[in-house]
Amino acid sequence: MLSKRAVSSFVSLLVLIVLVFFLSRLTGDPASLYLPVDASEAMRENFREINGLNDPVLVQFGNYLSDLVRLDFGDSLRKARPAMDVVLEAFVWTLWLAAITMVLVVVAAIVVGSIAAFNVGKPFDRIASVFSLIGASAPDFWIAIVGIVLFSVTLGWLPTSGTGTVWHWVLPIAVLFIRPFGLILQIVRGSMINALGSAYVKTARAKGVKSSPIIFVHTLRNAMLPVITVIGDQAAALLNGAVVVESIFGFPGVGKLMIDSILQRDFNVILAAIMVTAIAIFLMNILIDVAYALLDPCIRT
Amino acid sequence: MTFSDGTAFDAEDVKHSFERSQSPEIACEVSRYFEGIAITPTVVDAQTIEFKTEPAQPILPLLMSLLTIVPSETPIEFTREPVGTGPYTLASWEPGQQIVLERRDDYWGDSPRVKTANYVFRTDPAVAAAMIQAGEADIAPTISATDATTDMDVAYPNSETTYLRIDTSIAPMDDKRVREALNLAIDREAFIGTILAEGTEVAVAINPPTTLGWNPDIAAFPYDPERATALLEEARADGVVVDTEILLVGRTGNFPGATETYEAIQSMLADAGFNVRLQMVEVAEHEQYYSKPYAEGRGPILVGAQHDNSRGDPVFSMYFKYDSEGRQSGVADPALDDLIARATGAVGEERAALWSEAFAYVHDELIADVLLFHMVGHARVGPRVDFTPSIATNSQLQLADIGFK
């Protein structure tokens, strides 16, 4: 199953590279953005020559592919460094940000969502639902700015932005946390309510199982399948880079890098970033499949 | 005088620096200033270098001040270990995070007061402003006008001039009356203190008043929509098709309030009887409208743009924005070309007088464009440092100008 999956993912990746390669070149000439507005045609011509942008696009694509098989991803136009170095440097930041956030989100959403499901209609459930809906719908740039004004400027508890200490991670993670937390909490709650109403729980209760922990463990396992799908979806979004959060907090992650390189027409960086995130998402999908298989014996082969 | 790597600075270094900037192996942006001039540097002795130019270049010293000087050992390709003769050295560089400069002990000139300078980058100006407030940073050179509410915030002329570039080769804007009507139809004062920050000034030249030859005798166009309409009617009576749709191109985020500014301009022009369609575009697309070669078969276009020249001499602006050969020029006027050529070759008072004449000619005789505003920027300066932002702050922040209280 895995090898089949790998082959189809590899094909998708190739299609993606072809698409991005040609589409990004349709956006225009990098020379007019790299060089000053008053640069002459001769300078532009020279810039294109140095960077191989004067060749026909098909020739450029051939060169790119032949470099690619030697794992040479080309240089960044803007940064005059290997594109892959630039991307990996940024991706490590994003990976940490995404990993820490998702672990916190998953733990918190499952705990709060389950408690809410056990207490449907009671105050705890109502409060959790309201907060999760607010969280799932509030714009993150607004939360980020309010967070900075409140916790950094007014209270002075946390640094406004940047990197360096562990405290610098608190606000970005908190802002990233809110939306997936709200969403996953709703799924957990709904799924748990479903499971708690199912025949096997009723049977267990009828047989005298009073202990909530036992019921919790059994229902959770079944309730988790739809939750895992959403977790995968949310994690993929985070791996693509949290553009807003990275921009506001000055976090040098891959989302901001990708947006910047699209705006600057730094083609090699766009391609390298897309390949890295695509591979990361592919690997994550495998993890999700493994999780499915662990939870649901029917899926195992 | 020595470089920060300890090697001596001499004429050979200047020669190498000049030749390196001209090398086709790197796309050095400085080279554009020397284009069309044949320059031959000759080292006379260690302290003397001779530049021969063809044609003569009276502003060569100004041009040379734009050249970055590196040791003669510097390879042609990009270097990540910048070495210069200035008072600071690059101490560390963490991509995407920060750059740290350290003061040199062996600097030849007066030692600046700042010992270590730490540069960090924030996309959102509100965050940059918050960093000063939280005491994490000392200077945020550009914050938005809406955030400039504390007594740490200073407004300064940022040397940007906003204007509408007219393509005078296309009807109906090839008619001078139509161009005058464009100018009369816009209520410039109405923008100041509303959409644009307090302190913004109405422009009568593409360069700010601190520029050589800036002409105090030029009067700004008054806001006179009736006269504008009358001029349009007059042109219409002479067979000019004044109803042709004019495309007004603005750049999204070019300055705070850019979209609102262009929307207001569009409606003012429409009130005077123009048929204007506004299109806000991104940098790259804007550049296609703004710079030559212009598209074939284009209709009448007004390009809203900003120009920045804080060097004190208008030569670049004049050439690029008004000469027939200029990359962003919307006019082709032999008399103006001649005037620019003569001013470029002149020195001293004659130079100032010729530029004055050129500014007046562009504004009053040719009505080459719709000059709008000299803009202001806002900086936030923390309580620890002693620094007053100036017209140069927009393009460079001189560490040596910064002190402590």
Side-chain angles (χ1 to χ4, degrees):
Chain A
M1 186 181 87
L2 195 61
S3 64
K4 217 169 151 188
R5 187 97 190 227
V7 169
S8 71
S9 295
F10 181 72
V11 173
S12 327
L13 188 61
L14 271 186
V15 173
L16 196 63
I17 292 173
V18 175
L19 273 178
V20 174
F21 188 93
F22 290 101
L23 287 179
S24 61
R25 272 163 177 78
L26 283 182
T27 60
D29 178 11
S32 55
L33 293 182
Y34 182 88
L35 296 171
V37 214
D38 50 359
S40 65
E41 199 42 51
M43 277 176 77
R44 282 157 210 265
E45 185 63 25
N46 182 38
F47 176 84
R48 287 192 286 263
E49 192 60 46
I50 296 172
N51 293 292
L53 297 165
N54 271 342
D55 302 331
V57 183
L58 279 177
V59 174
Q60 290 184 39
F61 186 61
N63 291 340
Y64 187 79
L65 284 187
S66 71
D67 286 344
L68 200 58
V69 294
R70 284 182 278 117
L71 289 182
D72 175 355
F73 297 85
D75 282 350
S76 160
L77 282 182
R78 277 281 156 162
K79 302 180 165 72
R81 299 166 61 210
M84 201 33 111
D85 291 6
V86 174
V87 170
L88 287 179
E89 219 167 64
F91 188 70
V92 172
W93 288 99
T94 298
L95 194 60
W96 275 112
L97 212 52
I100 300 173
T101 310
M102 277 325 281
V103 167
L104 293 176
V105 164
V106 168
V107 172
I110 289 177
V111 170
V112 178
S114 307
I115 299 178
F118 271 103
N119 300 287
V120 182
K122 293 187 186 151
F124 183 89
D125 178 37
R126 290 284 162 84
I127 294 170
S129 287
V130 167
F131 275 96
S132 70
L133 280 178
I134 293 175
S137 50
D140 42 7
F141 69 89
W142 182 79
I143 299 179
I145 297 283
V146 169
I148 290 175
V149 170
L150 183 62
F151 294 105
S152 310
V153 178
T154 312
L155 297 170
W157 291 351
L158 293 167
T160 57
S161 55
T163 52
T165 67
V166 63
W167 300 111
H168 285 96
W169 292 75
V170 176
L171 274 179
I173 289 178
V175 174
L176 278 183
F177 174 90
I178 292 170
R179 194 179 304 207
F181 171 71
L183 195 69
I184 295 173
L185 188 151
Q186 289 294 322
I187 309 282
V188 170
R189 179 181 172 274
S191 186
M192 279 298 269
I193 289 175
N194 246 340
L196 287 171
S198 62
Y200 70 90
V201 176
K202 283 179 182 157
T203 311
R205 285 205 161 127
K207 282 166 73 182
V209 180
K210 286 245 161 49
S211 159
S212 286
I214 294 176
I215 302 238
F216 177 68
V217 169
H218 283 277
T219 45
L220 184 64
R221 186 166 177 153
N222 288 308
M224 275 311 277
L225 290 175
V227 176
I228 283 180
T229 313
V230 180
I231 290 176
D233 194 46
Q234 293 294 308
L238 285 184
L239 281 178
N240 265 321
V243 184
V244 172
V245 165
E246 286 170 8
S247 300
I248 289 186
F249 292 105
F251 244 73
V254 81
K256 181 164 187 306
L257 176 73
M258 221 185 297
I259 296 290
D260 287 348
S261 44
I262 290 169
L263 290 178
Q264 297 163 343
R265 295 182 188 146
D266 200 341
F267 303 141
N268 288 341
V269 176
I270 304 175
L271 281 159
I274 282 174
M275 274 186 265
V276 167
T277 49
I279 289 169
I281 289 169
F282 165 66
L283 291 176
M284 206 195 55
N285 279 331
I286 291 179
L287 284 181
I288 300 270
D289 284 352
V290 171
Y292 266 133
L294 286 177
L295 284 169
D296 186 354
C298 304
I299 298 175
R300 279 177 228 160
T301 44
Chain B
M1 200 192 284
T2 58
F3 283 103
S4 53
D5 65 352
T7 58
F9 165 63
D10 58 30
E12 276 300 337
D13 298 316
V14 177
K15 183 166 187 274
H16 174 72
S17 302
F18 178 76
E19 285 165 354
R20 180 170 181 265
S21 78
Q22 303 285 40
S23 167
E25 285 171 47
I26 51 170
C28 180
E29 61 164 53
V30 174
S31 65
R32 71 189 190 278
Y33 298 118
F34 306 106
E35 223 153 67
I37 318 167
I39 304 180
T40 329
T42 319
V43 172
V44 180
D45 60 52
Q47 307 297 323
T48 318
I49 184 164
E50 197 178 84
F51 286 95
K52 281 214 167 67
T53 70
E54 183 60 42
Q57 274 303 311
I59 60 155
L60 193 69
L62 180 73
L63 292 177
M64 281 298 157
S65 71
L66 300 166
L67 179 67
T68 37
I69 302 290
V70 293
S72 47
E73 295 77 26
T74 312
I76 297 293
E77 67 262 23
F78 281 107
T79 169
R80 290 201 186 282
E81 279 107 37
V83 171
T85 55
Y88 290 91
T89 56
L90 179 76
S92 80
W93 167 67
E94 295 164 58
Q97 296 179 72
Q98 62 172 357
I99 291 172
V100 181
L101 300 190
E102 295 270 8
R103 188 172 66 196
R104 279 171 65 186
D105 293 327
D106 57 345
Y107 179 55
W108 52 276
D110 292 336
S111 193
R113 299 200 40 209
V114 175
K115 186 170 178 294
T116 310
N118 206 333
Y119 295 82
V120 295
F121 307 92
R122 298 291 179 266
T123 317
D124 195 312
V127 176
M131 288 184 77
I132 313 292
Q133 221 167 346
E136 289 171 25
D138 293 304
I139 298 174
T142 42
I143 64 170
S144 73
T146 46
D147 288 329
T149 48
T150 72
D151 53 10
M152 294 185 285
D153 304 326
V154 198
Y156 60 94
N158 68 4
S159 96
E160 296 279 4
T161 303
T162 307
Y163 74 116
L164 306 182
R165 201 275 312 285
I166 301 177
D167 186 345
T168 62
S169 64
I170 308 276
M173 295 190 294
D174 56 348
D175 190 285
K176 188 178 155 185
R177 289 167 298 193
V178 175
R179 300 200 294 274
E180 188 176 349
L182 283 170
N183 272 285
L184 293 168
I186 298 172
D187 185 1
R188 294 169 175 79
E189 296 288 346
F191 289 84
I192 300 172
T194 52
I195 299 177
L196 301 173
E198 206 71 62
T200 303
E201 281 179 40
V202 171
V204 293
I206 191 126
N207 299 121
T210 43
T211 308
L212 181 80
W214 185 84
N215 191 332
D217 300 329
I218 303 173
F221 284 100
Y223 172 52
D224 191 346
E226 287 82 28
R227 172 99 185 104
T229 312
L231 278 169
L232 276 185
E233 289 310 319
E234 205 179 291
R236 189 201 305 275
D238 286 349
V240 180
V241 189
V242 293
D243 301 326
T244 316
E245 184 183 81
I246 296 173
L247 176 64
L248 170 61
V249 180
R251 209 182 99 188
T252 318
N254 196 9
F255 50 87
T259 306
E260 293 82 349
T261 299
Y262 290 120
E263 281 169 356
I265 286 174
Q266 180 202 22
S267 85
M268 286 174 185
L269 292 177
D271 287 346
F274 283 99
N275 175 10
V276 179
R277 180 166 65 91
L278 171 64
Q279 196 178 339
M280 296 300 294
V281 297
E282 295 298 323
V283 180
E285 204 185 343
H286 183 264
E287 179 54 22
Q288 285 167 6
Y289 286 109
Y290 191 36
S291 289
K292 288 178 185 170
Y294 302 138
E296 288 295 327
R298 64 192 180 279
I301 303 175
L302 283 171
V303 183
Q306 277 203 320
H307 176 57
D308 164 24
N309 181 349
S310 56
R311 294 188 193 94
D313 190 286
V315 62
F316 300 121
S317 315
M318 281 293 178
Y319 178 76
F320 285 110
K321 310 302 173 196
Y322 299 116
D323 193 276
S324 304
E325 301 290 319
R327 272 185 62 84
Q328 289 88 31
S329 175
V331 290
D333 185 83
L336 181 59
D337 290 351
D338 174 61
L339 189 53
I340 293 173
R342 280 188 291 134
T344 305
V347 289
E349 277 178 24
E350 189 197 352
R351 186 180 181 85
L354 286 168
W355 285 137
S356 280
E357 196 183 326
F359 281 130
Y361 185 75
V362 165
H363 187 270
D364 299 334
E365 297 298 320
L366 218 51
I367 314 186
D369 46 20
V370 183
L371 292 160
L372 296 170
F373 310 105
H374 296 306
M375 310 293 275
V376 290
H378 294 85
R380 181 169 289 185
V381 181
R384 205 163 65 100
V385 291
D386 178 16
F387 172 67
T388 312
S390 71
I391 192 159
T393 305
N394 197 40
S395 45
Q396 56 181 341
L397 191 63
Q398 292 279 8
L399 275 182
D401 294 342
I402 300 169
F404 294 96
K405 281 174 183 164

